[in-house]
Amino acid sequence: MEDIKPGALINGIVPDKPVEVVTSQWVGANTLTVIFRDRDSGVAERTLFRDDEARLSVAATGRNWSFEADGELLRLVTEATRIQLAHHFDPYLAIHTSRVMPLPHQISAVYGEMLPRQPLRFLLADDPGAGKTIMAGLLIREMAARSDLDRCLIVAPGSLVEQWQDELGNKFGLEFEILTRDMIEASRSGNVFSEKHRLIARLDVLSRNEDLQQKLLDADEWDLIIGDEAHRMSATYFGNEAKYTKRYQLGQLLGKVCRHYLLMSATPHNGKEADFQLFMALLDGDRFEGKPRDGVHSANAEDMMRRLTKEELLRFDGRPLFPERRAYTIKYDLSSQEVLLYDAVTEYVREEMNRVARFAETDGRKKNNVGFALQILQRRLASSPAAIYQSLKRRRERLEAELSEVMLQGRAQGLRGAYEDVIPDDFDEMEEYDPAELDQVEDTLSASATTAENAEQLKIEIATLQGLEAQAFEVLKSGEDTKWTQLDRILDDELMRDEDGNRRKLIIFTEPKDTLFENGGAKLDHGSAAILAVRAA
């Protein structure tokens, strides 16, 4: 019986023909369980005893160790096992299996700061341009290689979700889906977060939808959640009371439904220590609980975050990653006409702001809208004569249309304002708007929001705007634009040419589109100068 081994041909197990042994297993010293293959009846099993040895004979000996399974399947299994254990032998596996050439600060962030932390609660706050998306991709791929990540959720502003999907797919081979309304409605279980393991979601889609937030709570725990542009999930103190925005409450929720939580922001600190500690409470609510008091209560967050400025970012050879940053402020004096216009518009804004104060208790929404509209006028006044002229003109035309409607309908008071349908309740939501939506909101506000409560007050404000508009038009027609004149001199400065005398590339940022079209479209003519005028939207 000791000769009955896998692969052997044995006579006597079935009558009149040999069978091939597939496996054999001893049960004690005198009993053997045999699984064999019969050419006629297929695979069968038989238990043999010592008393059966007399009728058994070996037609062909087998092998102690035989393998007849699919060799290709074995290769796949062993390769999968090798990859699963690869991080034990290659500590930088994600780097070697990705289409990126990471820089020193990116490697140190992933392998020195984040991977050793279990669980991860971390703020990555390097300067813009440091490649925080690359670091996040390396982290995801390395954690997946170490069998520490299966479910991953990335929450980013709406304008960045496609960029996240492209970079993770092209550079790291990581396939993420973007959460859409169709995906939510097509969910078989009713909870898309339970069905999808790698998702990218828009920040405000989650923060404004309580139903989705409940589904996040009901779904399985996420291995890693990454919050991009995390400073948008900030809160603030008013006196001793903390004001929690919808985004901040979402940030708190995300921290409860994951093992590892990574926040990324180049501007996490707004200069107020109390607000910063509220922000850090997203990562550790116990440690950063309560409002700090000078000399009494403060919490050090250095062990939970990393921040490197552009000056600290180096290449492998020690050379700076970015060229030296030199900032200059050019001062200039306004012309007499510009000074008069500036003073007149400023006085108009000041008077309107004083009127706004009375809405503090009765109509806080109108107070905020009018105040924001006046701030827009101030910014455009500082931009260019073209910007303030067009803004005053649009405001005067919009208020005249409102006055005509009031007179036509015979309403003496209760001006509604055409802006109420386009202005969000929470101004923080405007950070999610694309440039076209932001233009619509700002143009509508600056042109429509008014403190006037009846037709007579509206007529007075329109008359004031007519005078300001005429004054701005005179400045525009005169061609006196001191800021542009100063810029024109800078363009011809020696700093604008390199060592070989060639003109340097130059980008000019401006916020109002009226300034861009007036100055950028008509005046930027410096021969072969590589000048690009764009909006800082």
Side-chain angles (χ1 to χ4, degrees):
M1 291 176 63
E2 280 71 11
D3 293 331
I4 300 178
K5 301 173 183 178
L9 292 178
I10 305 297
N11 292 316
I13 294 181
V14 297
D16 303 327
K17 57 184 176 182
V19 297
E20 180 184 1
V21 178
V22 178
T23 63
S24 60
Q25 183 176 1
W26 285 96
V27 182
N30 299 312
T31 305
L32 182 67
T33 300
V34 179
I35 297 177
F36 58 88
R37 182 181 292 109
D38 183 353
R39 294 178 181 176
D40 297 327
S41 57
V43 178
E45 181 179 347
R46 187 73 53 82
T47 301
L48 303 176
F49 303 94
R50 284 292 179 186
D51 295 342
D52 297 322
E53 277 188 316
R55 61 183 176 83
L56 300 176
S57 63
V58 179
T61 59
R63 295 163 292 175
N64 288 326
W65 305 101
S66 63
F67 184 82
E68 296 182 354
D70 186 343
E72 181 64 18
L73 184 60
L74 174 65
R75 188 188 70 81
L76 292 175
V77 171
T78 54
E79 182 68 7
T81 304
R82 183 189 70 80
I83 294 174
Q84 188 176 24
L85 300 176
H87 69 275
H88 291 295
F89 306 94
D90 182 358
Y92 302 106
L93 180 65
I95 295 176
H96 300 147
T97 56
S98 303
R99 301 186 187 95
V100 294
M101 291 292 292
L103 294 161
H105 67 275
Q106 296 169 338
I107 296 174
S108 64
V110 175
Y111 294 93
E113 300 283 356
M114 293 189 281
L115 280 174
R117 299 174 188 268
Q118 294 290 333
L120 176 67
R121 288 289 190 275
F122 197 73
L123 169 63
L124 186 59
D126 291 351
D127 261 2
K132 290 186 284 294
T133 307
I134 298 297
M135 302 181 214
L138 286 174
L139 176 66
I140 295 171
R141 190 166 182 85
E142 192 68 48
M143 291 179 66
R146 300 184 183 195
S147 301
D148 193 32
L149 184 146
D150 179 41
R151 288 170 51 79
C152 180
L153 172 66
I154 298 171
V155 180
S159 59
L160 299 178
V161 292
E162 287 84 5
Q163 178 182 332
W164 269 96
Q165 186 183 45
D166 292 342
E167 292 205 19
L168 291 176
N170 296 335
K171 296 178 180 178
F172 300 97
L174 298 169
E175 295 301 324
F176 278 75
E177 296 182 75
I178 296 175
L179 181 67
T180 62
R181 181 175 300 176
D182 291 341
M183 182 186 296
I184 296 170
E185 294 175 351
S187 172
R188 292 183 178 180
S189 66
N191 191 339
V192 66
F193 299 115
S194 296
E195 299 174 6
K196 304 294 183 179
H197 287 193
R198 294 188 178 180
L199 274 178
I200 303 174
R202 291 173 172 84
L203 173 62
D204 279 355
V205 168
L206 296 183
S207 66
R208 301 173 186 174
N209 193 319
E210 294 183 1
D211 183 53
L212 285 180
Q213 294 175 25
Q214 184 59 48
K215 290 179 180 179
L216 270 173
L217 285 171
D218 296 338
D220 295 336
E221 183 182 55
W222 296 90
D223 297 314
L224 172 65
I225 291 182
I226 298 175
D228 191 20
E229 297 292 323
H231 59 272
R232 301 190 180 195
M233 295 190 291
S234 60
T236 187
Y237 274 103
F238 285 96
N240 291 321
E241 183 180 355
K243 178 188 176 184
Y244 300 111
T245 62
K246 292 180 180 179
R247 294 176 180 175
Y248 185 85
Q249 293 169 345
L250 172 66
Q252 291 177 311
L253 172 64
L254 295 176
K256 297 176 183 178
V257 297
C258 64
R259 287 192 301 119
H260 304 296
Y261 195 20
L262 173 63
L263 299 180
M264 302 195 306
S265 171
T267 55
H269 204 303
N270 64 358
K272 300 178 182 179
E273 183 61 26
D275 292 355
F276 178 66
Q277 289 202 189
L278 271 178
F279 177 69
M280 292 302 296
L282 293 175
L283 299 175
D284 191 337
D286 296 330
R287 179 174 172 182
F288 297 96
E289 176 67 25
K291 183 177 181 180
R293 289 181 291 169
D294 294 339
V296 178
H297 175 204
S298 63
N300 189 349
E302 290 184 0
D303 60 329
M304 295 184 62
M305 66 176 291
R306 192 192 78 165
R307 174 162 179 78
L308 294 179
T309 63
K310 286 186 175 181
E311 289 76 13
E312 298 174 280
L313 304 182
L314 305 175
R315 303 177 190 273
F316 280 104
D317 58 6
R319 291 184 296 120
L321 180 62
F322 293 96
E324 182 182 358
R325 179 165 46 186
R326 300 177 184 177
Y328 302 92
T329 300
I330 306 300
K331 297 181 179 180
Y332 59 92
D333 295 323
L334 295 174
S335 66
S336 57
Q337 278 189 302
E338 289 175 314
V339 169
L340 292 174
L341 174 62
Y342 187 90
D343 290 342
V345 174
T346 301
E347 181 62 25
Y348 166 71
V349 169
R350 184 181 296 115
E351 290 179 359
E352 291 298 308
M353 289 297 289
N354 290 335
R355 293 193 182 100
V356 162
R358 70 173 180 267
F359 295 114
E361 297 180 359
T362 59
D363 192 346
R365 178 177 172 83
K366 185 171 184 177
K367 174 178 179 290
N368 291 337
N369 289 340
V370 176
F372 188 58
L374 296 175
Q375 290 176 19
I376 295 172
L377 285 179
Q378 286 180 305
R379 294 206 311 268
R380 295 183 177 179
L381 173 64
S383 179
S384 70
I388 188 59
Y389 168 69
Q390 294 295 341
S391 297
L392 291 170
K393 180 181 178 182
R394 284 191 291 265
R395 182 171 177 82
R396 188 259 307 163
E397 291 173 346
R398 192 71 65 91
L399 293 186
E400 285 180 341
E402 178 75 4
L403 178 62
S404 298
E405 182 181 349
V406 170
M407 301 302 293
L408 182 65
Q409 297 182 5
R411 289 186 291 142
Q413 55 184 351
L415 298 180
R416 174 180 173 273
Y419 54 84
E420 294 185 2
D421 292 333
V422 297
I423 306 304
D425 293 329
D426 187 350
F427 279 104
D428 289 339
E429 296 179 11
M430 291 173 58
E431 294 182 10
E432 280 293 302
Y433 286 7
D434 60 33
E437 292 174 321
L438 198 59
D439 283 345
Q440 180 188 6
V441 170
E442 290 200 355
D443 286 346
T444 303
L445 260 181
S446 62
S448 301
T450 176
T451 59
E453 296 181 288
N454 53 54
E456 292 304 318
Q457 292 179 5
L458 202 55
K459 289 178 182 179
I460 294 173
E461 184 171 356
I462 290 173
T464 302
L465 287 171
Q466 288 173 337
L468 292 174
E469 180 187 347
Q471 193 172 351
F473 180 72
E474 289 299 321
V475 174
L476 185 63
K477 186 173 65 173
S478 70
E480 291 188 19
D481 188 344
T482 308
K483 180 188 285 187
W484 166 254
T485 303
Q486 188 64 44
L487 176 60
D488 193 33
R489 293 173 184 165
I490 294 173
L491 295 177
D492 291 327
D493 194 275
E494 294 181 359
L495 287 173
M496 294 296 104
R497 297 185 180 275
D498 60 20
E499 295 80 1
D500 299 326
N502 299 318
R503 190 176 289 277
R504 299 180 187 274
K505 293 181 179 179
L506 180 66
I507 300 178
I508 300 174
F509 290 95
T510 181
E511 183 179 2
K513 60 185 179 183
D514 296 315
T515 300
L516 175 67
F517 295 150
E518 174 69 16
N519 294 335
K523 296 183 179 179
L524 286 184
D525 183 14
H526 276 254
S528 59
I531 301 175
L532 175 63
V534 299
R535 295 188 64 207

